[in-house]
Structures are given as structure tokens and as C-alpha cells.
Amino acid sequence: MSTDAQDSRRAPYAYTLRDTLDADEHAACLTNWQQRYDQLSAGVFAGVFEEFCFGKVQLFREGLNQSVHQAGEAWRGSRTFAVPVMIEGTGWFGGEVYDAHSMLTLGSDDELDFRTPRRLEIVACTADAVALDAYAQQVDHRNIETELAGRKMAPATPERLAALGQLLATMMSSLRATPELLVHPQMRKAMEQALFATLLDTLSSGSVQATAPSCSARQLVVARARAYMEAHIDEPITVADLCIELGVSRRTLQYSFQDVLDLNPVKFLRAIRLNAVRRALKAPPPNGRSTVADVAARWGFWHLSHFSAEYKTMFGELPSDTLRRAG
């Protein structure tokens, strides 16, 4: 089965879901990659492939029931990360053995040399390397491409690897249910930044010890952050937006908000956005009709079930109740 929700040349996103019965057919699924798959184990081939492309990100899932050797290369200027979610035994990637606890990475200048075990399912993301590195520089003051130079296996603890795999699976599950919400630029931005932030957390060795800013510096960071938020009250501001605007790292922002407001910046911004959604649900829609999903997407909430739970916890009712009462 194949579903192309949008033409990627015209639309802000593309979605593909396909069952494959041939290794060559499967190899051709991944957008903008140059690949060749050679089936190594005997038997009828059966695969599943799913892909979402939006902004500077490509999310994909592939499952195989036969051992194959994959050769080729990713699209120019990209960086790929892959996590096995189901694997029988071990495989071979760029000269190294991988298993269920491995995080694979591939730069655009790296040659793909990937041998799978007989059964494998992976979730993966390919991102624009410049965009990812710019994000890392601006919010964590890190150079990801330098950290990963020459690596085939990215450093990650089992807990952080599991968290990344869970995020990728959750993102794909949410998009599978409502891919059309990717028409909203705020939705695409929120998902891209959530992915980048989780990748940085996954790759962090935990060895970097940041010095907490002084009390006066923390107060200044929070004051400047609140001034920026007030000036952009109608926009779904993110932690990365604040880091870039203020020229501080995520850690500095964390220290400052926790000390001054007794709340981390993620929760603070989420509360601000939840209130914005509530006001939008209570207001007459500009086009005469509105849905909870569309309003939530416009404010960067990409996981609708989590959003509904957070909304009810904050306001004591579901967002659908607010919208129905306003109507």
C-alpha cells in the first residue's frame, strides 16, 4: 500500500506508507537517498516502509524479514540517526557490530555499508546537518559534526537511546493519525525542535559541567525572556527561540527560570501556550469554523492526546468542552 499525502515539490510535507515484496522496491522507497539492497537470506521478501518529510527533517521506519546488505549514500548535507526497535541477533554497520542497544549515525559524506540480521525494524531520522549543528551551537554551544566525526555508533546511554526511540515512534504515530496538521508551520517547527533537542540530550555524555549564572544574571535572563514573550504574545515561542534571542544555553535558561520562577522554562512556555490555546478556543474562529486539532497545531502542540491531558489538568476541562461551550 502506498499513500502520498502531498506532493513534496508543492507542499510543506510528504507522507508515504508502503508494503514491499522485493528488496529493490524497498531500497527505492527512501526519498532522496541513493541505495542498493541485496537480499542475503533465502525466502520471500516482505518489508514495510513509512516516511514523513517536512522542513529540514525526514522521519522513517522500515521493517525487513530477510537479511540484506544496503549500500549507497544519504542526501547531500544530511546527518542520519537510527535506532533498532526490533532486532534478532546483531548486524554490521560500517565495520562495526550493532545490536538492540546501538545508535547508528551516518553523515552525508559517509558510505552506507549496512548488513541487517534476518529480522529488523528501525526508526530513524535524517536532518539537514547545518540546521542541526546551528541549533546545537545556539542552544547548547556544541558542535555536533565535530563530536560525531568518524563515528558509526553514536554515544548514548540505554535510557537516552530508549527515549529517542520512543520520541521517534510517538512522532510517527501522531503524524500517521493526522498528517494534514503538518500544513501548520508552527507544528513543523515544534516537531523539528523537539527532535533536535532530544538528539542533543541523547548524544550528551553528561561530562560537561556548566557553571550556574549569578543571581543577578539569572534575574536578567528571566526579565529579558519575559519581555521577549510579551512582545511576541501571539506566537508559540519555544525554548530554542529564547536561547537564540538571549544568547544563552539551555542550561543557563534552565538555571534562571528554576531559581527565579521555581519552574523550568519548558513548563513555563507550555503554560503560556495552553492559555493561548484556551483563548483561541473561546474566540469566534476567523473563518467560521475551527477544530481543537488545528488550534493546538497552530500553537505547536503536536501530540494531541498529551495536549488534551495537559489542557484538562490545567483548566479542569477538555479542550473540546471549551470549544463547544464557546460555540
Side-chain angles (χ1 to χ4, degrees):
M1 176 176 63
S2 176
T3 303
D4 293 310
Q6 297 282 348
D7 183 337
S8 60
R9 294 169 297 180
R10 295 185 290 105
Y13 75 94
Y15 172 43
T16 299
L17 175 62
R18 184 170 296 155
D19 293 324
T20 59
L21 299 174
D22 178 84
D24 289 332
E25 177 190 359
H26 198 100
C29 288
L30 200 53
T31 302
N32 293 329
W33 285 57
Q34 301 297 320
Q35 296 188 105
R36 186 187 74 250
Y37 283 19
D38 293 311
Q39 182 173 330
L40 302 179
S41 58
V44 176
F45 182 94
V48 61
F49 177 83
E50 186 174 26
E51 176 189 71
F52 297 89
C53 297
F54 58 92
K56 299 182 182 299
V57 170
Q58 177 182 38
L59 302 180
F60 60 95
R61 171 179 66 92
E62 61 176 331
L64 307 167
N65 75 331
Q66 300 291 346
S67 176
V68 301
H69 179 262
Q70 304 178 13
E73 58 187 9
W75 41 276
R76 184 172 297 279
S78 66
R79 167 63 64 177
T80 299
F81 301 92
V83 179
V85 293
M86 191 282 291
I87 183 172
E88 291 186 0
T90 61
W92 180 268
F93 182 65
E96 298 186 43
V97 174
Y98 67 89
D99 57 21
H101 306 293
S102 302
M103 179 180 178
L104 287 56
T105 187
L106 184 77
S108 67
D109 294 330
D110 298 332
E111 181 181 351
L112 178 64
D113 178 13
F114 187 40
R115 193 267 297 165
T116 73
R118 189 176 182 95
R119 293 189 180 274
L120 173 71
E121 181 177 350
I122 64 168
V123 288
C125 64
T126 301
D128 181 276
V130 172
L132 175 59
D133 213 46
Y135 180 94
Q137 292 275 11
Q138 291 168 329
V139 306
D140 264 8
H141 302 167
R142 296 168 60 189
N143 188 316
I144 293 300
E145 283 303 304
T146 298
E147 291 181 23
L148 295 176
R151 286 183 176 270
K152 299 298 182 185
M153 302 293 170
T157 65
E159 295 77 18
R160 289 175 174 171
L161 188 63
L164 175 61
Q166 182 61 43
L167 176 78
L168 293 172
T170 301
M171 279 188 169
M172 298 190 75
S173 175
S174 295
L175 291 176
R176 187 180 305 123
T178 52
E180 66 277 4
L181 293 183
L182 282 170
V183 300
H184 299 292
Q186 301 92 333
M187 179 83 155
R188 301 194 299 273
K189 174 184 174 182
M191 297 195 82
E192 180 179 295
Q193 291 193 357
L195 177 62
F196 286 180
T198 303
L199 283 172
L200 294 189
D201 290 340
T202 306
L203 294 169
S204 176
S205 64
S207 60
V208 178
Q209 298 295 325
T211 302
S214 67
C215 183
S216 59
R218 279 173 273 182
Q219 289 177 326
L220 180 60
V221 166
V222 172
R224 291 177 60 205
R226 297 188 70 169
Y228 179 79
M229 287 185 280
E230 289 175 6
H232 299 79
I233 193 67
D234 294 326
E235 300 174 22
I237 297 169
T238 65
V239 168
D241 291 333
L242 292 180
C243 290
I244 294 168
E245 174 65 23
L246 306 180
V248 299
S249 68
R250 284 191 299 169
R251 287 186 178 87
T252 295
L253 201 65
Q254 171 84 18
Y255 285 134
S256 301
F257 269 74
Q258 198 68 55
D259 184 58
V260 176
L261 300 177
D262 194 27
L263 196 66
N264 73 48
V266 172
K267 291 183 178 179
F268 184 84
L269 289 173
R270 185 183 297 126
I272 296 297
R273 290 188 292 129
L274 283 170
N275 278 275
V277 168
R278 185 169 177 81
R279 283 190 288 270
L281 291 174
K282 292 190 295 182
N287 60 357
R289 61 188 298 271
S290 185
T291 67
V292 169
D294 277 320
V295 174
R298 288 199 298 270
W299 284 93
F301 289 100
W302 57 267
H303 196 302
L304 294 182
S305 61
H306 285 180
F307 157 73
S308 294
E310 291 168 348
Y311 187 98
K312 185 175 183 179
T313 298
M314 177 70 79
F315 303 115
E317 65 179 6
L318 290 171
S320 56
D321 296 332
T322 306
L323 181 63
R324 183 166 52 249
R325 190 173 63 255

